[in-house]
Amino acid sequence: MKFFKNYFNYKVSSLLKEYNFESSMLEVGCGTGETLELLTKDYEIEGLDFSEQAIKKCKEKKLKARVGDFFKNKKKYNSILCLDVIEHVKEDSKFIRHIYNCLEEKGKLFVLVPSGKMMGDDEGYGHYRRYSKEEIIKKIKEENFEIKHVEMFGYPFLYYLRI
């Protein structure tokens, strides 16, 4: 799994640079701050999560993060990251629309969602759904985003690793 984590970090960093993501940046659903740690060197970034325990871990790592409900966020950002978050939100279209409203005029969104069919443990992880490539593109375009890049990542390797 260390190889996957290193590859994941490389992929995220490379894509953010390639597509000129800029500070100020928000990671919605930052968890315990692994991505914040990675990006804090190159970006002015803060994290938001509903878990007080997760934010406590971020604070222990001296990361800028706060507890909160993203639907109540009023602040605008140049970049928003949602890494394995949207599938946890019951009203995903409303969530994506709110992201759009929280971005500056030329703001950018970086999304990562699980693909493939639902697995037996998905509900236990709090997933409402998984997305096909076509589904996530359609959903994001419906909320006025222009898609610059889409790729499949991790599947089927991670799928087989889980089963």
Side-chain angles (χ1 to χ4, degrees), residues 76-126:
K76 292 212 177 235
Y77 297 88
N78 288 318
S79 304
I80 294 179
L81 283 73
C82 288
L83 309 178
D84 289 321
V85 172
I86 297 174
E87 68 276 7
H88 293 272
V89 180
K90 194 170 192 172
E91 298 178 273
D92 57 349
S93 293
K94 181 179 174 185
F95 185 78
I96 295 167
R97 188 172 318 116
H98 189 64
I99 291 170
Y100 186 86
N101 292 328
C102 290
L103 283 166
E104 296 290 352
E105 187 176 331
K106 297 198 183 223
K108 296 180 182 179
L109 168 63
F110 188 105
V111 173
L112 178 69
V113 294
S115 64
K117 64 181 183 173
M118 286 287 280
M119 298 178 62
D121 59 349
D122 273 315
E123 287 184 19
Y125 286 123

Side-chain angles (χ1 to χ4, degrees), residues 104-144:
E104 296 290 352
E105 187 176 331
K106 297 198 183 223
K108 296 180 182 179
L109 168 63
F110 188 105
V111 173
L112 178 69
V113 294
S115 64
K117 64 181 183 173
M118 286 287 280
M119 298 178 62
D121 59 349
D122 273 315
E123 287 184 19
Y125 286 123
H127 293 178
Y128 286 100
R129 73 201 66 78
R130 285 176 170 253
Y131 298 90
S132 70
K133 189 175 183 178
E134 296 75 25
E135 288 169 329
I136 195 64
I137 289 171
K138 181 179 185 272
K139 194 150 291 260
I140 289 173
K141 279 185 172 182
E142 285 173 348
E143 302 307 330
N144 298 314

